[in-house]
Amino acid sequence: MRPTGAPTMTPRALRARWAVARLQRLAGGGDDGGEGLGRQRPVSAIGLSFPSPVGLAAGFDRRGRLLDGAHRLGLGAVEMGTFVVADGLPHLSRPIAGGARCGVSIGKPRHVPWDAADEAYLRGLRTFHPIADYLTLNPGRDCPSPAVFIQVAAATAQLRDRLARHRLRPLPLVAKLPAHWLNGDVPDIVGVADAFVAAGVNGLLVATEGPDAQRDACAILHVLSQSVRPDVSVISVGGIGSLAEVNARLAAGAALVQVHRAVLARNSALLGALQRSASAR
């Protein structure tokens, strides 16, 4: 029987915790030839160098337990969160040098209205500025329109630029674009992307979902990668279940891809395929 007052975890959260523990053991083989290890293909995106174009999406390893060993799993980044800076945060430390990049996804509390959302994201920026390699602005499920979130992105980018004196370069910002924002005609999709870029973001995290995710994602990625400035990176997340799909997203124009459910459902099988592919290059 669960003790009174003990926190509950959803089945998906429990699977994620178990999967992280298994992947930690797999990553513990060391840099000199542990299980399934292989050299990776470094890429440049959002002004940073990543040891691999494939990263873990937010929600899988929320506390960053895999950060120090992620590069040995064929991963270029681990995105922690999504965090809501409100009632306190766990103690987090910067990962070791030479490992995967540390991304942090931030959002706002559900009870905070969107006309007062700026401060939630600004608190998140101030909190994670010292440890994050990049920050993802997550609109969640209740954001009414891209225009509202563009204002949030602009305010966050302005504070980011003021804090830049504490870093060698400004902290890269990525804006997540939910699938339902990208269902319009090509001019509308490009217009949304251009507005976020003008607000100051360095990357666009393009989310896709549903049975047609692969086809729709590749079409959208192609359009956006051809329309945004060369210094802005397009990142793909959602509906990626195999190495073939990873390669298709990259071929369509994504600079980086993020995986989540595929790793959760298939344990380390997808990561093993990624490692074997990297070794064969």
Side-chain angles (χ1 to χ4, degrees):
M1 178 180 295
R2 182 174 58 87
T4 303
T8 59
M9 296 187 68
T10 65
R12 182 175 174 182
L14 283 171
R15 289 197 302 273
R17 174 174 288 186
W18 294 332
V20 167
R22 287 192 295 268
L23 292 174
Q24 280 185 296
R25 292 194 294 271
L26 178 61
D31 285 325
D32 56 353
E35 179 184 357
L37 307 183
R39 63 181 175 82
Q40 298 141 44
R41 177 169 65 89
V43 296
S44 295
I46 59 174
L48 301 172
S49 176
F50 292 77
S52 165
V54 182
L56 278 184
F60 188 97
D61 182 16
R62 190 171 185 270
R63 304 298 179 93
R65 292 164 59 195
L66 290 172
L67 271 168
D68 287 346
H71 62 296
R72 294 194 292 268
L73 293 168
L75 294 170
V78 172
E79 192 165 296
M80 297 186 292
T82 297
F83 290 115
V84 173
V85 182
D87 299 325
L89 291 165
H91 174 72
L92 301 169
S93 59
R94 193 173 181 83
I96 59 173
R101 290 293 185 177
C102 173
V104 180
S105 175
I106 60 172
K108 75 167 185 66
R110 293 184 180 181
H111 67 272
V112 173
W114 276 102
D115 58 7
D118 286 9
E119 186 54 37
Y121 289 89
L122 299 183
R123 287 198 303 270
L125 172 60
R126 293 188 187 98
T127 299
F128 293 108
H129 191 270
I131 67 163
D133 288 315
Y134 71 91
L135 206 65
T136 294
L137 310 179
N138 190 337
R141 298 180 180 180
D142 66 334
C143 189
S145 69
V148 171
F149 202 54
I150 288 166
Q151 295 177 356
V152 170
T156 309
Q158 289 171 10
L159 177 59
R160 180 271 314 270
D161 293 342
R162 293 198 296 272
L163 294 173
R165 64 184 182 275
H166 300 298
R167 305 175 67 101
L168 294 177
R169 63 171 61 91
L171 180 70
L173 294 179
V174 174
K176 183 174 182 178
L177 309 185
H180 65 274
W181 286 358
L182 303 171
N183 290 333
D185 296 329
V186 168
D188 296 330
I189 294 173
V190 172
V192 168
D194 286 345
F196 275 102
V197 172
V201 304
N202 308 94
L204 302 171
L205 179 57
V206 179
T208 50
E209 54 194 23
D212 297 324
Q214 175 66 6
R215 181 196 64 199
D216 295 343
C218 289
I220 293 170
L221 291 170
H222 178 74
V223 167
L224 292 182
S225 64
Q226 295 296 311
S227 65
V228 298
R229 299 194 318 246
D231 60 324
V232 176
S233 302
V234 179
I235 307 168
S236 183
V237 67
I240 299 173
S242 68
L243 179 60
E245 290 173 9
V246 168
N247 290 331
R249 303 288 176 94
L250 294 173
L256 302 169
V257 298
Q258 293 185 349
V259 293
H260 186 293
R261 292 182 184 176
V263 179
L264 191 61
R266 301 174 59 191
N267 192 11
S268 57
L270 176 59
L271 296 184
L274 291 170
Q275 293 163 335
R276 290 190 294 274
S277 174
S279 298
R281 292 191 181 100

